[in-house]
Structure formats: C-alpha cells, structure tokens
Amino acid sequence: MKAVIFDLDGVLCTTDKYHYYAWKNIADGLGIYFDEEINNRLRGVSRMESLNIILECGKLEVSEEEKLELAKRKNKIYRRLLENLTPRDISEGAVETIDKLRAAGLKLAVGSSSKNTPFILERLGLANYFDAISDGNNISRSKPYPEVFLKAAQMLGLESGECLVVEDALSGVVAAHEAGMLCACVGDAAKAGAGDYNMRSISELLDIVLKRGE
Ligand code: BG6
Ligand code: MG
C-alpha cells in the first residue's frame, strides 16, 4: 500500500449533516418526504443526481431548467452553512491519522464528488495536507463510477492496487472496487459492512495500512 485516498464529506469532515439540512429544506419546499435513510442514498453521488433521487422519491417531474434552479438553491443553502466551518469540523482523529500515515511514508489524496472540495479544505485548514486532490470539478461521472479515484491514483503516479480508499458511502465503496482499490469504511458504509475493512473510527486506519505493509 503506497497511498490512501480519502473521501471528504462524512470521512474527513462532518459536512454530510449540512448536505442533509440543505436537501431537507429543498425537499420540504417541494412537499417531498425526506429522512436520514433517503439522505444516505445521496452520499457520494453528485448534486444533480442527488436531486434526481429526491424528485424520484416524490414522484415529481420538473423541467431541466427547474432542476438547475433547485440544485443552485440547494448549493446556496449548503454554502451558507459551510461559512461556519472551522478546523473543529474535521472528523475526530483524522489529522493525527493523516500525520502518522505521512510519517510512515504514504502518499495522501482526496477523492470526493463535491465541487465544493477546495472551499471546504480551505475552511478546515487542510488545503496543503494532500499530495493530490481529485474532486467534482475534474470528473464527468461521480461515484459509483470509479473516475474520481482513478484520477487521484493518476495524479499520484500510482497503480490502483497501491491505493486504499476511505469511504462512508455505499456508492463510494462501489467506485473504489470498480477502480480496483480496497476500501476501508466508516459511518453508514461501515454499518452496512460494505468495506474490505469496516472501522468504528478513522484512527483504525493506521493498523490496517501498517499491518498490510508487514
Ligand atoms: C459528496 C457528498 O461528497 O459530494 C454528496 O457525499 C454530494 O452528498 C456530492 O451530493 C456533491 O457535492 P457538492 O458539494 O458538489 O454539491
Ligand atoms: Mg462521503
């Protein structure tokens, strides 16, 4: 194992709750029922695909123009919530784990579907922590397609088999596997037992990576 590729929302930071608030606001406005379970289906998938899932739940058909408007409104709410983001919103144990992985000689990357990745990393004070950042701005298909992780490996100059992905989304686990990478999970995906490794906390990553190197 030569690199670890971290998902952002729900792995490195707790922004997943802000996605939830923002989508809940949009769904309420449309009179569509929305809860945590539906929200879990939005993890890892792009903004427009998330909207499509919500509209499908409400059996609501709207024009492409309205969709763009709704997605724009959701992002405006989300960005307002992100204004309050500080390094305190970094997931517990993440910085220590990243530092130890780096000290052990591993390369580190971000692999996220979010177009807000640069802004979030900046707010968290993590903008200069990674060797590569692959995000929603440089891909044409979001998770469960493997593109975001394949691009991250390419940026690092590594083969898929040399990279371990860390994910909280079922769509992210599929993307990692499609990319030919092993996946360590936290949160929702770990609860479902979807990963090759299912962790209670990101700190367990150290054991996983260092043991695989033995
Ligand atoms: C992923 C989130 O990281 O980014 C998804 O898990 C979200 O819920 C996707 O839809 C796109 O995010 P953004 O910030 O570009 O709207
Ligand atoms: Mg995530």
Side-chain angles (χ1 to χ4, degrees), residues 1-6 98 100-109 131-132 152-153 156-165 181-182 208-210 212-213:
M1 204 58 74
K2 292 192 180 162
V4 181
I5 306 174
F6 292 90
I98 290 172
K100 286 181 185 159
L101 289 170
R102 188 184 294 293
L106 282 114
K107 294 242 182 246
L108 306 169
D131 302 296
L156 295 170
L158 295 174
E159 298 295 325
S160 289
E162 297 173 316
C163 304
L164 173 76
V165 168
M181 299 175 188
L182 288 174
I208 294 169
V209 172
L210 300 182
R212 276 194 66 86

Short mmCIF file of all heavy atoms in Angstrom, two decimals, residues 1-6 98 100-109 131-132 152-153 156-165 181-182 208-210 212-213:
data_model
loop_
_atom_site.label_atom_id
_atom_site.label_comp_id
_atom_site.label_asym_id
_atom_site.label_seq_id
_atom_site.Cartn_x
_atom_site.Cartn_y
_atom_site.Cartn_z
N MET A 1 0.84 -1.20 0.00
CA MET A 1 0.00 0.00 0.00
C MET A 1 0.88 1.25 0.00
O MET A 1 1.71 1.43 0.88
CB MET A 1 -0.86 -0.04 1.28
CG MET A 1 -2.12 0.74 1.20
SD MET A 1 -3.18 0.21 -0.13
CE MET A 1 -3.82 -1.32 0.50
N LYS A 2 0.71 2.10 -1.01
CA LYS A 2 1.55 3.29 -1.09
C LYS A 2 0.79 4.60 -0.88
O LYS A 2 1.40 5.65 -0.71
CB LYS A 2 2.23 3.33 -2.45
CG LYS A 2 3.25 2.22 -2.64
CD LYS A 2 4.09 2.46 -3.87
CE LYS A 2 5.10 1.33 -4.03
NZ LYS A 2 5.64 1.28 -5.37
N ALA A 3 -0.54 4.52 -0.94
CA ALA A 3 -1.31 5.76 -0.78
C ALA A 3 -2.68 5.49 -0.17
O ALA A 3 -3.23 4.40 -0.31
CB ALA A 3 -1.50 6.43 -2.13
N VAL A 4 -3.20 6.53 0.48
CA VAL A 4 -4.57 6.46 0.99
C VAL A 4 -5.34 7.62 0.35
O VAL A 4 -4.90 8.77 0.37
CB VAL A 4 -4.61 6.57 2.54
CG1 VAL A 4 -6.04 6.49 3.03
CG2 VAL A 4 -3.77 5.47 3.17
N ILE A 5 -6.48 7.27 -0.24
CA ILE A 5 -7.34 8.28 -0.87
C ILE A 5 -8.58 8.46 0.00
O ILE A 5 -9.36 7.52 0.18
CB ILE A 5 -7.77 7.87 -2.29
CG1 ILE A 5 -6.54 7.53 -3.15
CG2 ILE A 5 -8.60 8.97 -2.94
CD1 ILE A 5 -6.88 6.97 -4.54
N PHE A 6 -8.72 9.65 0.55
CA PHE A 6 -9.83 9.92 1.48
C PHE A 6 -11.01 10.58 0.78
O PHE A 6 -10.83 11.59 0.07
CB PHE A 6 -9.38 10.90 2.57
CG PHE A 6 -8.37 10.35 3.52
CD1 PHE A 6 -7.01 10.46 3.26
CD2 PHE A 6 -8.77 9.71 4.69
CE1 PHE A 6 -6.07 9.96 4.14
CE2 PHE A 6 -7.84 9.20 5.57
CZ PHE A 6 -6.48 9.32 5.30
N ILE A 98 -3.75 11.18 9.61
CA ILE A 98 -3.09 11.65 8.38
C ILE A 98 -1.60 11.87 8.65
O ILE A 98 -0.74 11.45 7.88
CB ILE A 98 -3.75 12.96 7.87
CG1 ILE A 98 -5.15 12.67 7.34
CG2 ILE A 98 -2.90 13.62 6.80
CD1 ILE A 98 -5.94 13.91 7.01
N LYS A 100 0.31 10.55 10.90
CA LYS A 100 1.04 9.29 11.13
C LYS A 100 1.21 8.52 9.82
O LYS A 100 2.24 7.88 9.61
CB LYS A 100 0.32 8.44 12.17
CG LYS A 100 0.52 9.00 13.57
CD LYS A 100 -0.17 8.17 14.62
CE LYS A 100 -0.05 8.82 15.99
NZ LYS A 100 -1.06 8.35 16.93
N LEU A 101 0.20 8.56 8.96
CA LEU A 101 0.31 7.87 7.66
C LEU A 101 1.42 8.50 6.84
O LEU A 101 2.22 7.82 6.20
CB LEU A 101 -1.02 7.94 6.90
CG LEU A 101 -2.16 7.09 7.46
CD1 LEU A 101 -3.48 7.43 6.77
CD2 LEU A 101 -1.87 5.59 7.28
N ARG A 102 1.46 9.83 6.86
CA ARG A 102 2.51 10.53 6.11
C ARG A 102 3.90 10.17 6.66
O ARG A 102 4.83 9.88 5.92
CB ARG A 102 2.30 12.04 6.17
CG ARG A 102 3.25 12.79 5.25
CD ARG A 102 3.11 14.28 5.36
NE ARG A 102 1.84 14.81 4.90
CZ ARG A 102 1.43 14.79 3.64
NH1 ARG A 102 2.19 14.25 2.71
NH2 ARG A 102 0.27 15.29 3.30
N ALA A 103 3.98 10.14 8.00
CA ALA A 103 5.26 9.82 8.63
C ALA A 103 5.68 8.39 8.27
O ALA A 103 6.88 8.08 8.22
CB ALA A 103 5.14 9.98 10.14
N ALA A 104 4.69 7.52 8.01
CA ALA A 104 5.01 6.12 7.65
C ALA A 104 5.35 6.01 6.16
O ALA A 104 5.56 4.90 5.65
CB ALA A 104 3.82 5.23 8.00
N GLY A 105 5.35 7.15 5.46
CA GLY A 105 5.80 7.16 4.07
C GLY A 105 4.70 7.03 3.03
O GLY A 105 4.97 6.86 1.83
N LEU A 106 3.44 7.12 3.46
CA LEU A 106 2.35 7.00 2.49
C LEU A 106 2.02 8.33 1.83
O LEU A 106 2.18 9.39 2.44
CB LEU A 106 1.09 6.46 3.17
CG LEU A 106 1.23 4.96 3.35
CD1 LEU A 106 1.32 4.62 4.81
CD2 LEU A 106 0.08 4.23 2.69
N LYS A 107 1.57 8.24 0.57
CA LYS A 107 1.06 9.43 -0.11
C LYS A 107 -0.41 9.57 0.26
O LYS A 107 -1.10 8.56 0.51
CB LYS A 107 1.18 9.27 -1.62
CG LYS A 107 2.60 9.22 -2.10
CD LYS A 107 2.84 10.40 -3.01
CE LYS A 107 4.23 10.40 -3.58
NZ LYS A 107 5.04 11.48 -3.11
N LEU A 108 -0.90 10.82 0.26
CA LEU A 108 -2.27 11.07 0.69
C LEU A 108 -3.02 11.88 -0.34
O LEU A 108 -2.49 12.85 -0.88
CB LEU A 108 -2.26 11.84 2.02
CG LEU A 108 -1.44 11.20 3.14
CD1 LEU A 108 -1.26 12.16 4.29
CD2 LEU A 108 -2.10 9.92 3.62
N ALA A 109 -4.27 11.47 -0.60
CA ALA A 109 -5.07 12.20 -1.58
C ALA A 109 -6.51 12.33 -1.10
O ALA A 109 -6.95 11.61 -0.20
CB ALA A 109 -5.05 11.47 -2.92
N ASP A 131 -1.26 15.26 -1.26
CA ASP A 131 -0.39 15.22 -2.44
C ASP A 131 -1.21 15.35 -3.72
O ASP A 131 -0.67 15.71 -4.76
CB ASP A 131 0.38 13.88 -2.46
CG ASP A 131 1.20 13.71 -1.20
OD1 ASP A 131 2.13 14.52 -1.00
OD2 ASP A 131 0.90 12.81 -0.38
N ALA A 132 -2.51 15.02 -3.65
CA ALA A 132 -3.36 15.14 -4.82
C ALA A 132 -4.80 15.37 -4.38
O ALA A 132 -5.23 14.85 -3.33
CB ALA A 132 -3.30 13.86 -5.66
N ALA A 152 -7.28 10.26 -9.03
CA ALA A 152 -6.43 10.50 -7.86
C ALA A 152 -5.16 9.66 -7.96
O ALA A 152 -4.04 10.16 -7.75
CB ALA A 152 -7.18 10.18 -6.58
N ALA A 153 -5.31 8.38 -8.33
CA ALA A 153 -4.14 7.49 -8.46
C ALA A 153 -3.20 8.00 -9.56
O ALA A 153 -1.98 8.03 -9.39
CB ALA A 153 -4.60 6.06 -8.78
N LEU A 156 -1.20 10.83 -8.42
CA LEU A 156 -0.13 10.39 -7.51
C LEU A 156 0.95 9.60 -8.25
O LEU A 156 2.01 9.31 -7.69
CB LEU A 156 -0.71 9.50 -6.39
CG LEU A 156 -1.68 10.16 -5.41
CD1 LEU A 156 -2.35 9.10 -4.54
CD2 LEU A 156 -0.95 11.18 -4.53
N GLY A 157 0.64 9.21 -9.49
CA GLY A 157 1.57 8.39 -10.28
C GLY A 157 1.63 6.96 -9.77
O GLY A 157 2.66 6.31 -9.83
N LEU A 158 0.48 6.46 -9.26
CA LEU A 158 0.45 5.10 -8.69
C LEU A 158 -0.58 4.22 -9.39
O LEU A 158 -1.50 4.72 -10.05
CB LEU A 158 0.10 5.17 -7.20
CG LEU A 158 1.14 5.86 -6.29
CD1 LEU A 158 0.59 5.99 -4.88
CD2 LEU A 158 2.46 5.08 -6.27
N GLU A 159 -0.42 2.91 -9.22
CA GLU A 159 -1.39 1.94 -9.74
C GLU A 159 -2.55 1.83 -8.75
O GLU A 159 -2.36 2.05 -7.55
CB GLU A 159 -0.73 0.55 -9.84
CG GLU A 159 0.45 0.47 -10.79
CD GLU A 159 0.06 0.71 -12.24
OE1 GLU A 159 -1.05 0.28 -12.61
OE2 GLU A 159 0.85 1.33 -12.96
N SER A 160 -3.71 1.40 -9.26
CA SER A 160 -4.88 1.24 -8.40
C SER A 160 -4.59 0.35 -7.19
O SER A 160 -4.98 0.65 -6.06
CB SER A 160 -6.03 0.61 -9.18
OG SER A 160 -6.55 1.53 -10.09
N GLY A 161 -3.91 -0.76 -7.43
CA GLY A 161 -3.65 -1.74 -6.38
C GLY A 161 -2.76 -1.21 -5.26
O GLY A 161 -2.63 -1.85 -4.22
N GLU A 162 -2.17 -0.05 -5.49
CA GLU A 162 -1.30 0.54 -4.46
C GLU A 162 -2.05 1.55 -3.58
O GLU A 162 -1.47 2.15 -2.69
CB GLU A 162 -0.11 1.24 -5.15
CG GLU A 162 0.78 0.27 -5.92
CD GLU A 162 1.86 0.96 -6.75
OE1 GLU A 162 1.56 1.97 -7.43
OE2 GLU A 162 3.01 0.48 -6.71
N CYS A 163 -3.34 1.74 -3.90
CA CYS A 163 -4.13 2.75 -3.18
C CYS A 163 -5.25 2.14 -2.35
O CYS A 163 -5.95 1.24 -2.81
CB CYS A 163 -4.76 3.73 -4.16
SG CYS A 163 -3.59 4.53 -5.27
N LEU A 164 -5.43 2.66 -1.16
CA LEU A 164 -6.56 2.27 -0.31
C LEU A 164 -7.51 3.47 -0.22
O LEU A 164 -7.08 4.59 0.02
CB LEU A 164 -6.07 1.91 1.10
CG LEU A 164 -7.15 1.64 2.14
CD1 LEU A 164 -7.78 0.26 1.93
CD2 LEU A 164 -6.57 1.72 3.56
N VAL A 165 -8.80 3.22 -0.44
CA VAL A 165 -9.80 4.29 -0.36
C VAL A 165 -10.46 4.26 1.03
O VAL A 165 -10.67 3.19 1.59
CB VAL A 165 -10.87 4.09 -1.46
CG1 VAL A 165 -12.07 4.99 -1.24
CG2 VAL A 165 -10.27 4.34 -2.84
N MET A 181 -9.51 -0.89 -6.24
CA MET A 181 -8.87 -0.49 -4.98
C MET A 181 -9.60 -1.13 -3.79
O MET A 181 -10.82 -1.33 -3.85
CB MET A 181 -8.92 1.04 -4.82
CG MET A 181 -8.18 1.76 -5.92
SD MET A 181 -8.37 3.56 -5.81
CE MET A 181 -7.60 4.07 -7.35
N LEU A 182 -8.86 -1.37 -2.71
CA LEU A 182 -9.51 -1.83 -1.49
C LEU A 182 -10.15 -0.63 -0.81
O LEU A 182 -9.73 0.51 -1.04
CB LEU A 182 -8.48 -2.47 -0.54
CG LEU A 182 -7.94 -3.84 -0.96
CD1 LEU A 182 -6.84 -4.27 0.00
CD2 LEU A 182 -9.06 -4.87 -1.00
N ILE A 208 -4.60 -0.90 9.93
CA ILE A 208 -4.91 -1.58 8.67
C ILE A 208 -3.76 -1.39 7.68
O ILE A 208 -3.24 -2.35 7.12
CB ILE A 208 -6.23 -1.01 8.06
CG1 ILE A 208 -7.42 -1.36 8.95
CG2 ILE A 208 -6.44 -1.52 6.64
CD1 ILE A 208 -8.70 -0.64 8.59
N VAL A 209 -3.36 -0.15 7.49
CA VAL A 209 -2.33 0.15 6.50
C VAL A 209 -0.98 -0.41 6.91
O VAL A 209 -0.28 -1.04 6.11
CB VAL A 209 -2.23 1.69 6.28
CG1 VAL A 209 -1.05 2.03 5.39
CG2 VAL A 209 -3.52 2.19 5.66
N LEU A 210 -0.62 -0.23 8.17
CA LEU A 210 0.70 -0.67 8.61
C LEU A 210 0.78 -2.21 8.63
O LEU A 210 1.79 -2.79 8.23
CB LEU A 210 1.08 -0.07 9.95
CG LEU A 210 1.11 1.48 9.91
CD1 LEU A 210 1.54 2.05 11.24
CD2 LEU A 210 2.01 2.02 8.80
N ARG A 212 -0.88 -4.26 6.65
CA ARG A 212 -0.82 -4.75 5.26
C ARG A 212 0.61 -4.64 4.72
O ARG A 212 0.99 -5.37 3.84
CB ARG A 212 -1.75 -3.94 4.37
CG ARG A 212 -3.16 -4.43 4.41
CD ARG A 212 -3.95 -3.83 3.28
NE ARG A 212 -3.48 -4.30 1.98
CZ ARG A 212 -3.86 -5.40 1.40
NH1 ARG A 212 -4.72 -6.20 1.99
NH2 ARG A 212 -3.38 -5.75 0.21
N GLY A 213 1.36 -3.70 5.29
CA GLY A 213 2.74 -3.50 4.81
C GLY A 213 3.71 -4.51 5.39
O GLY A 213 4.85 -4.63 4.93
#
